[in-house]
Amino acid sequence: MKILKSLNDNQREAVECIKNSQIIVAGAGSGKTKVLTHKIAYLIEKGYEPSSILALTFTNKAANEMKERIKKLIGKKADGVWMGTFHSVFAKILRVNAEKLGYKPNFSIYDRDDSVALVSHVMQELDISTDLFTPNNAQHRISNMKNHMVTPDEFRKNFADSSLDEKFADVYELYNKRLFENNAMDFDDLLLKPIELFNKNPKIAARYRGQFRYILVDEYQDTNRAQYELVRMLTSQRIKVCVVGDDAQSIYGWRGADISNMLDFQKDFSNAKMFKLEQNYRSTANILKGANSVIEKNKNQIEKNLWTEQEEGDKITVIRCSDEKDEAFQIAKNIKKEVQKRKISLNDIAILYRTNSQSRALEDALRREKLPYQIVGGVEFYRRKEVKDILAYLRVLANQNDEESLLRIMNFPQRGIGNTSVEKMLAFSRKLNISFFDTMARIFEVIEVKERIQKNVKQFKLLLNKYIELKDKLSLYELTSALVDELGVLRMYKEENSKDSLVRYQNVQELLNAIQDFTKTNKGATIDDFLAEVSLVSGIDQMKEEANFVTLMTIHSAKGLEFPVVFLSGLEEDLFPINRKFDSDADIEEERRLFYVAFTRAKEKLYLTYARSRYRFGEVAYQDRSRFIDEVDPEVLDEAKASHARSGRKRKSYYDDLYKGVADPDADRRTYRVGSRVTHKIFGTGKIMAIEGSGDMAKISIQFESHGMKTLVAKFANLSLV
């Protein structure tokens, strides 16, 4: 068959197997997307109806890329394939069947910020202090429970073993109740609610099982329990499942991904075949050899060995820096060198880091060296305040039960409706068990609210009613433009005339442009259509690949991408891997997989950088270099000499004057510093978290592995540096 000609033998064998379920273990750079797209095209060529094929991905970017590739192979027939992210595909199913679960089809989808805001309101309602736990922490824990399919009742029964847990269970329970009342679902519900739908309505589940004959799942190593259950629920004897992924790139355990879904696939799906794609087409031999030498240290994995026919290439450069400012300078200097040496563009270069907070020093250096950059996975466009404010208006026009969105815009722009008045209105709505929107219509019955404010609420309600009536008469772009104009948002930002307000002005204009583009591409598009689209956009989907910028991102954001030149920064213990000896074996293995993912983003040249000292959490930390550097085969490493400042002289550490440490009173006069590893005869091994005072009487706070936090006086501590 013509479409199979470009495949290697292993890829072709995996594509042609369509009579069994199969797992395709696709090593980094081995042509995973190519195999998936060719398999879908092959299925259609073999007589499968496009609408009988369900292809699930993790990003819109991946789904769109696959659609375009399939079109090039077989033409417009590709449009009939059910393809998208787990969340977008099952949101589509929920829209059609929402009423079976007591929702209206126009339900809102809450992103993380919306969820945190709702948790905050729930905690206020329950009079739970943020001293016990923050809304952020509670939301993260709720998301974790949902990812593991643990309901509030199950949490109380099986996991709550303290009064604090009971309070969290109260928050979790009321949070779900308020979501339902708001006709809203959070991101995790888009996976849980379809399971509930199929369990409560076997005929609906049977209908979708009858529609699909082949299910394909990309990045299967990143699936959580709910995603696993959905795939199982849509599978029958006649439906085949093909999953593609790489257990060595399973890096989302912290948000519920379960690597055992990948490792146990052949146990879970009878007669399933395994195919391994081990030829790498991305990286040079040295990069690949280094990556293999690290990941082989993991015990919990599917055995494989990546190889390549590409040239040996440059060795991996390791740079030791004095602090994070020096590290940023060294990276900027080498970016200029690589651009000149390889004749490449800035968009061929990426700087990767473990945590977002590392970007500040890097940004400073790039600005200083006049190197333009883009940050991927920072504050995403649709999560910026001014954009979310306008989207909140659209959400209320679409769904008047969306209390969170209504509360967000109640006093935006300023209309004199303060928090006290809002709280009284909320109390009224709770007392009468009516929506907040309906409370606005009865504002004059809320006698605790001043007459002046009652009139402001009435005017606001009339404004909303006007646009609710107009939403079916105007196009989405006309409606939004008229609303923004009447609100005076652009005029307000322009008149403020600050740097910040002008950025907000530009972002609102960009939102209007996005809506205009959407309405041109999707004729007759409604508010619901647009909101469903933007609610599922991720930071990686907004990455501008054509722009000439150095790309800065976390390693998690970089998964699935590749660059000719990659700088992997911040390679110190406690930063990467995070929490060194306090981690379990499973945590360390995931950190090592993350390092492997970073390693294999590089095509031609890889730099590994680490700093002797780094300012973290308000203090200077002195860490050893990451163990992962030392796990790389030394034959592929080029250890650069100690860094020097621009003048060529040995650069003084940025922190030498800020923090000098505390001398050990013992004979060899060693120095204790924040971040130092120490041992104590009784308490064992620990890490210095803080030092108060100086000299022999300095107080040293140490987090011991087995005995928790202890504060010792330097003179009597009898510590030994590890």
Side-chain angles (χ1 to χ4, degrees):
M1 193 178 286
K2 186 179 178 181
I3 63 171
L4 302 180
K5 283 186 177 179
S6 64
L7 303 176
N8 66 33
D9 291 344
N10 283 359
Q11 291 171 339
R12 187 180 299 108
E13 189 181 358
V15 167
E16 290 180 323
C17 176
I18 61 175
K19 292 183 178 180
N20 296 76
S21 290
Q22 64 263 193
I23 176 171
I24 302 172
V25 183
S30 63
K32 170 179 67 69
T33 303
K34 185 176 185 178
V35 169
L36 260 178
T37 52
H38 279 71
K39 191 172 189 74
I40 292 170
Y42 182 76
L43 286 167
I44 294 171
E45 292 287 274
K46 282 291 187 179
Y48 280 77
E49 283 295 321
S51 60
S52 73
I53 299 170
L54 172 62
L56 299 167
T57 68
F58 273 81
T59 66
N60 291 312
K61 183 176 182 293
N64 293 333
E65 181 184 345
M66 285 169 62
K67 281 179 186 175
E68 290 306 312
R69 289 203 197 184
I70 299 168
K71 275 186 183 178
K72 287 179 181 177
L73 291 171
I74 59 170
K76 288 189 175 181
K77 286 186 285 187
D79 289 333
V81 176
W82 271 59
M83 180 180 290
T85 65
F86 270 93
H87 293 87
S88 64
V89 165
F90 287 102
K92 182 178 175 182
I93 289 173
L94 286 169
R95 293 277 181 207
V96 175
N97 300 283
E99 291 174 353
K100 295 287 193 299
L101 295 174
Y103 288 83
K104 296 175 184 174
N106 63 344
F107 61 81
S108 298
I109 299 173
Y110 282 6
D111 65 17
R112 187 179 184 280
D113 293 337
D114 302 319
S115 296
V116 170
L118 179 55
V119 168
S120 181
H121 291 139
V122 164
M123 288 177 65
Q124 290 171 24
E125 193 175 342
L126 294 172
D127 197 25
I128 294 175
S129 170
T130 54
D131 291 337
L132 296 177
F133 46 77
T134 67
N136 262 308
N137 289 340
Q139 188 277 337
H140 178 76
R141 197 174 183 189
I142 287 171
S143 180
N144 192 42
M145 289 300 107
K146 289 190 175 187
N147 279 328
H148 289 89
M149 298 178 63
V150 177
T151 66
D153 285 343
E154 288 170 338
F155 177 82
R156 284 186 200 278
K157 183 178 178 181
N158 301 318
F159 299 98
D161 55 11
S162 68
S163 59
L164 197 64
D165 283 344
E166 288 293 339
K167 288 185 183 297
F168 166 74
D170 292 340
V171 171
Y172 185 11
E173 184 173 31
L174 186 56
Y175 168 83
N176 278 350
K177 184 170 185 273
R178 294 286 176 254
L179 273 177
F180 183 74
E181 291 170 350
N182 292 359
N183 191 37
M185 298 186 193
D186 64 21
F187 214 56
D188 301 308
D189 286 335
L190 297 181
L191 301 178
L192 289 181
K193 294 300 179 183
I195 294 173
E196 183 182 339
L197 174 72
F198 294 154
N199 281 330
K200 287 183 175 179
N201 302 272
K203 287 184 179 178
I204 294 176
R207 188 171 81 225
Y208 286 105
R209 279 196 295 270
Q211 176 178 339
F212 300 128
R213 291 182 59 200
Y214 224 101
I215 299 174
L216 301 100
V217 185
D218 190 16
E219 305 286 10
Y220 192 65
Q221 76 281 348
D222 293 333
T223 52
N224 59 27
R225 184 184 167 194
Q227 288 159 328
Y228 166 83
E229 288 295 335
L230 283 169
V231 172
R232 291 284 292 177
M233 292 179 92
L234 288 177
T235 304
S236 67
Q237 197 66 34
R238 59 181 285 278
I239 300 172
K240 301 296 181 289
V241 179
C242 172
V243 303
V244 183
D246 182 7
D247 58 295
Q249 297 185 68
S250 180
I251 59 174
Y252 293 108
W254 51 275
R255 72 178 187 197
D258 188 349
I259 192 174
S260 67
N261 291 348
M262 185 95 183
L263 301 178
D264 297 338
F265 182 83
Q266 288 181 292
K267 295 178 186 174
D268 297 334
F269 293 86
S270 59
N271 300 317
K273 290 192 173 184
M274 177 182 286
F275 299 90
K276 294 181 183 179
L277 306 181
E278 297 173 301
Q279 183 175 0
N280 177 284
Y281 293 93
R282 176 187 300 158
S283 305
T284 62
N286 275 333
I287 291 173
L288 215 54
K289 186 176 181 181
N292 284 335
S293 65
V294 173
I295 200 63
E296 69 183 10
K297 307 292 191 300
N298 274 7
K299 296 175 182 176
N300 202 24
Q301 62 175 309
I302 297 171
E303 192 175 319
K304 58 190 166 300
N305 189 54
L306 291 188
W307 59 277
T308 183
E309 293 179 344
Q310 299 202 63
E311 62 183 15
E312 187 175 69
D314 292 349
K315 287 192 173 185
I316 298 151
T317 299
V318 181
I319 303 177
R320 177 184 184 272
C321 309
S322 58
D323 55 43
E324 72 263 35
K325 288 197 170 187
D326 183 35
E327 179 184 50
F329 166 68
Q330 298 298 327
I331 289 173
K333 180 182 72 175
N334 280 286
I335 285 173
K336 289 183 174 180
K337 185 185 81 173
E338 290 294 340
V339 168
Q340 191 172 24
K341 174 185 174 183
R342 299 179 192 275
K343 308 300 180 191
I344 58 176
S345 302
L346 292 177
N347 62 358
D348 291 322
I349 299 171
I351 306 173
L352 308 182
Y353 36 78
R354 180 65 180 82
T355 63
N356 276 311
S357 61
Q358 292 169 249
S359 73
R360 185 189 60 79
L362 295 165
E363 290 182 70
D364 289 345
L366 294 174
R367 281 196 298 267
R368 192 163 51 247
E369 299 299 321
K370 296 181 171 55
L371 291 168
Y373 63 88
Q374 66 170 333
I375 296 180
V376 176
V379 179
E380 298 151 18
F381 179 76
Y382 290 107
R383 291 181 62 190
R384 290 170 183 162
K385 180 191 179 300
E386 59 277 11
V387 174
K388 288 206 69 171
D389 289 337
I390 304 303
L391 291 177
Y393 271 96
L394 296 182
R395 280 162 56 163
V396 171
L397 300 186
N399 172 20
Q400 287 82 63
N401 286 343
D402 189 344
E403 187 177 281
E404 284 305 307
S405 293
L406 194 50
L407 291 173
R408 183 182 185 98
I409 61 175
M410 198 73 193
N411 209 31
F412 174 82
Q414 287 284 335
R415 50 177 64 92
I417 306 171
N419 288 338
T420 303
S421 298
V422 170
E423 286 171 8
K424 290 172 180 175
M425 293 168 65
L426 279 169
F428 183 87
S429 70
R430 301 285 185 258
K431 181 179 178 181
L432 297 187
N433 196 26
I434 60 175
S435 72
F436 192 75
F437 190 81
D438 289 339
T439 295
M440 291 172 66
R442 299 172 61 172
I443 186 61
F444 293 107
E445 296 179 42
V446 188
I447 56 175
E448 296 88 351
V449 175
K450 293 178 182 177
E451 184 178 349
R452 172 182 58 82
I453 297 173
Q454 288 176 338
K455 290 178 180 177
N456 291 343
V457 172
K458 180 184 177 183
Q459 289 301 314
F460 180 43
K461 177 72 162 50
L462 290 173
L463 173 82
L464 294 176
N465 286 345
K466 172 184 173 180
Y467 283 93
I468 289 168
E469 290 179 13
L470 285 173
K471 71 183 173 73
D472 295 325
K473 299 174 183 176
L474 300 177
S475 74
L476 176 58
Y477 176 69
E478 291 169 334
L479 181 80
T480 312
S481 297
L483 175 63
V484 167
D485 186 55
E486 184 163 349
L487 291 171
V489 172
L490 290 173
R491 185 173 62 252
M492 175 183 73
Y493 288 139
K494 201 169 186 178
E495 288 174 354
E496 188 178 324
N497 199 31
S498 66
K499 183 179 178 181
D500 181 62
S501 70
L502 291 177
V503 170
R504 294 184 188 279
Y505 175 92
Q506 292 166 357
N507 285 337
V508 174
Q509 287 280 28
E510 183 59 32
L511 174 62
L512 292 173
N513 292 339
I515 291 173
Q516 189 171 34
D517 289 344
F518 185 79
T519 52
K520 284 180 180 177
T521 308
N522 304 273
K523 299 298 181 186
T526 65
I527 293 179
D528 289 337
D529 296 330
F530 180 70
L531 292 175
E533 179 83 8
V534 301
S535 65
L536 300 170
V537 169
S538 68
I540 196 70
D541 295 327
Q542 300 172 64
M543 179 178 167
K544 298 174 182 174
E545 295 181 347
E546 72 284 353
N548 194 26
F549 299 125
V550 176
T551 300
L552 277 68
M553 63 174 81
T554 64
I555 304 163
H556 284 97
S557 297
K559 188 164 171 293
L561 303 178
E562 58 183 43
F563 300 88
V565 178
V566 170
F567 292 84
L568 178 51
S569 62
L571 289 174
E572 299 119 43
E573 289 291 315
D574 282 358
L575 182 56
F576 195 12
I578 286 177
N579 289 341
R580 199 184 180 187
K581 295 177 182 175
F582 302 101
D583 280 333
S584 67
D585 288 343
D587 290 334
I588 287 298
E589 291 212 348
E590 178 152 322
E591 288 286 298
R592 189 176 285 112
R593 292 195 293 269
L594 189 60
F595 185 75
Y596 174 82
V597 166
F599 225 89
T600 52
R601 298 313 94 198
K603 296 168 71 176
E604 300 172 17
K605 179 64 181 178
L606 176 63
Y607 287 84
L608 308 178
T609 67
Y610 67 98
R612 184 175 65 87
S613 65
R614 187 176 298 273
Y615 200 64
R616 296 182 68 203
F617 311 119
E619 295 179 320
V620 183
Y622 290 81
Q623 253 90 240
D624 297 328
R625 78 177 190 175
S626 172
R627 72 187 74 180
F628 296 149
I629 297 178
D630 298 319
E631 290 179 357
V632 179
D633 186 334
E635 288 187 8
V636 301
L637 294 182
D638 176 19
E639 299 263 0
K641 294 179 181 178
S643 59
H644 292 73
R646 294 174 181 81
S647 63
R649 292 181 286 107
K650 179 72 175 70
R651 188 179 183 195
K652 184 180 181 181
S653 170
Y654 175 63
Y655 302 112
D656 282 351
D657 292 328
L658 179 65
Y659 179 78
K660 296 184 172 61
V662 176
D664 184 339
D666 292 336
D668 60 4
R669 304 301 296 171
R670 292 173 298 174
T671 302
Y672 302 135
R673 301 183 186 277
V674 173
S676 295
R677 291 283 166 183
V678 294
T679 58
H680 186 275
K681 289 181 179 177
I682 296 175
F683 302 132
T685 303
K687 172 187 170 185
I688 295 178
M689 308 302 292
I691 298 176
E692 185 180 337
S694 59
D696 290 354
M697 300 310 292
K699 294 180 180 178
I700 307 174
S701 297
I702 305 163
Q703 178 71 44
F704 287 102
E705 294 174 37
S706 303
H707 290 81
M709 184 72 76
K710 303 288 181 185
T711 300
L712 308 174
V713 176
K715 183 176 181 179
F716 308 108
N718 292 321
L719 299 171
S720 298
L721 285 163
V722 176

